[in-house]
């Protein structure tokens, strides 16, 4: 039986290793609970899907974020999200991720929507913060809106520079064309060009979304390991605590809630390193 809670329990049992200087990717993750393990390709890790009746579905996708400061390192190529379609993550029959998951025994299509978590380690003045956080902490608006509004800003800036005006219908069409990352992130071949062009997105966390920021989120203390999960209702909070208690000894953790500056409350399970 595997889940993000079991994964966090394993991290907690080996928490002393987070103070080492080794890259986060070198952490001895429990391979028995993983369906894939890659570096530099999203996801870095994935939890196996549970095939028997259980309270845990598993299948969570995990990206590693290692930083030498209390700033979450940038997200390259993939926009952070709380959930992702596995069909958009696995691209092509020859995908390494697809092959690894199948070799691990996963029925990939049995869980088409996957929860996404980010394992973040930050360091500052000899102190360390480790946070395993649900992706919705960073996704305060959906990726389509983020992309389209960003391109709308570019379009308006260029129109202003050129002293041009275009109709709202044309503007909406142009913005909509660039609302999905897949529409412009493919490699493009241009006649007579000796190179191919591919646009990539880099996403940087603002202060309001930087869970390592001591001023914004003082509850995330120095030299602690934390599991951070959305808490948008009392029922959701009760279920989260129940699941956590089934995999970890709750007495060894501090339980609290933090309020995201843009996205409601999150439950935090915290333990000293």
């Amino acid at each position: 039986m595997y889940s993000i809670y079991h994964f966090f329990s394993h991290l907690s049992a080996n928490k002393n290793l987070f103070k080492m200087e080794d890259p986060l990717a070198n952490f001895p993750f429990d391979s028995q609970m993983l369906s894939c393990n890659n570096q530099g390709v999203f996801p870095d890790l994935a939890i196996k899907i549970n095939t028997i009746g259980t309270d845990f579905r598993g299948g969570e996708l995990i990206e590693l974020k290692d930083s030498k400061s209390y700033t979450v390192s940038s997200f390259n190529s993939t926009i952070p999200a709380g959930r992702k379609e596995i069909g958009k993550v696995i691209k092509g029959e020859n995908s390494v991720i697809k092959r690894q998951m199948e070799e691990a025994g996963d029925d990939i299509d049995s869980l088409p929507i996957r929860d996404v978590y980010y394992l973040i380690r930050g360091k500052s003045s000899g102190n360390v913060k480790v946070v395993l956080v649900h992706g919705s902490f960073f996704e305060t608006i959906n990726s389509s809106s983020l992309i389209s509004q960003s391109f709308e800003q570019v379009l308006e800036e260029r129109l202003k520079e050129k002293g041009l005006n275009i109709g709202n219908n044309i503007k909406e069409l142009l913005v909509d064309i660039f609302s999905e990352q897949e529409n412009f992130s493919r490699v493009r071949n241009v006649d007579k060009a000796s190179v191919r062009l591919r646009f990539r997105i880099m996403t940087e966390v603002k202060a309001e979304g930087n869970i390592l920021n001591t001023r914004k989120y003082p509850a995330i203390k120095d030299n602690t390991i934390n599991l951070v999960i959305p808490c948008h209702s009392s029922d959701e909070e009760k279920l989260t605590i129940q699941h956590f208690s089934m995999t970890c000894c709750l007495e060894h953790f501090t339980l609290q809630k933090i309020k995201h500056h843009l996205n409601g409350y999150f439950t935090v399970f915290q333990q000293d390193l």
Side-chain angles (χ1 to χ4, degrees):
M1 185 182 302
Y2 309 109
S3 72
I4 200 67
Y5 297 95
H6 296 84
F7 180 78
F8 183 73
S9 177
H10 170 69
L11 299 183
S12 172
N14 296 276
K15 61 184 181 178
N16 60 303
L17 298 178
F18 285 110
K19 289 189 174 183
M20 304 296 183
E21 292 300 322
D22 284 354
L24 195 53
N26 290 350
F27 189 91
F29 300 108
D30 184 356
S31 60
Q32 292 298 311
M33 68 175 65
L34 299 177
S35 62
C36 80
N37 187 344
N38 298 287
Q39 291 188 30
V41 179
F42 181 87
D44 292 306
L45 310 171
I47 307 296
K48 287 181 179 178
I49 298 172
N50 295 308
T51 57
I52 59 175
T54 173
D55 290 329
F56 305 102
R57 288 299 308 273
E60 294 93 345
L61 309 178
I62 303 167
E63 182 171 354
L64 308 181
K65 310 298 296 179
D66 208 3
S67 175
K68 295 180 180 180
S69 69
Y70 277 172
T71 300
V72 179
S73 55
S74 61
F75 301 84
N76 298 321
S77 298
T78 58
I79 298 172
R83 292 181 175 86
K84 288 184 181 286
E85 295 180 37
I86 193 63
K88 291 185 177 181
V89 173
I90 296 176
K91 299 176 181 178
E93 288 297 316
N94 296 322
S95 165
V96 173
I97 296 171
K98 181 176 186 294
R99 175 176 55 79
Q100 288 183 350
M101 288 183 171
E102 289 176 341
E103 290 177 352
D106 271 3
D107 178 1
I108 298 172
D109 295 331
S110 67
L111 193 60
I113 306 297
R114 307 295 184 91
D115 279 294
V116 179
Y117 283 81
Y118 296 88
L119 178 57
I120 300 167
R121 181 177 65 174
K123 298 179 180 179
S124 178
S125 302
N127 298 309
V128 179
K129 293 183 182 182
V130 179
V131 183
L132 181 60
V133 57
H134 191 265
S136 59
F137 197 90
F138 306 111
E139 187 186 21
T140 53
I141 64 173
N142 63 52
S143 61
S144 294
S145 297
L146 177 63
I147 294 171
S148 62
Q149 290 182 44
S150 296
F151 274 108
E152 184 175 9
Q153 290 179 12
V154 175
L155 179 60
E156 289 178 348
E157 287 171 3
R158 292 296 291 157
L159 289 173
K160 184 177 180 180
E161 289 174 5
K162 297 291 185 181
L164 298 175
N165 289 301
I166 60 175
N168 287 332
N169 290 339
I170 297 177
K171 182 186 292 186
E172 290 174 4
L173 175 61
L174 291 172
V175 170
D176 183 64
I177 288 173
F178 292 101
S179 64
E180 296 295 331
Q181 185 176 354
E182 291 80 6
N183 291 341
F184 60 87
S185 63
R186 298 179 188 141
V187 175
R188 301 296 177 177
N189 286 299
V190 178
D191 287 345
K192 298 183 180 180
S194 61
V195 295
R196 290 190 292 255
L197 188 64
R198 178 161 66 97
F199 292 98
R200 299 180 65 185
I201 282 181
M202 177 181 288
T203 313
E204 298 179 352
V205 174
K206 297 165 65 175
E208 292 82 0
N210 181 9
I211 195 167
L212 301 179
N213 188 314
T214 303
R215 291 184 179 180
K216 294 293 184 181
Y217 299 101
I220 307 300
K221 298 177 181 178
D222 289 339
N223 302 310
T224 60
I225 181 171
N226 305 264
L227 176 62
V228 183
I229 296 180
C231 175
H232 299 316
S233 70
S234 58
D235 289 340
E236 190 175 27
E237 181 180 16
K238 289 177 182 177
L239 184 61
T240 295
I241 296 173
Q242 177 186 336
H243 284 168
F244 186 88
S245 299
M246 293 169 67
T247 57
C248 300
C249 182
L250 190 57
E251 294 179 357
H252 296 163
F253 293 83
T254 299
L255 174 62
Q256 56 189 317
K257 285 201 300 186
I258 60 173
K259 188 177 188 304
H260 192 289
H261 292 271
L262 299 169
N263 204 23
Y265 287 92
F266 285 75
T267 301
V268 179
F269 302 92
Q270 185 176 91
Q271 185 182 51
D272 290 337
L273 287 176

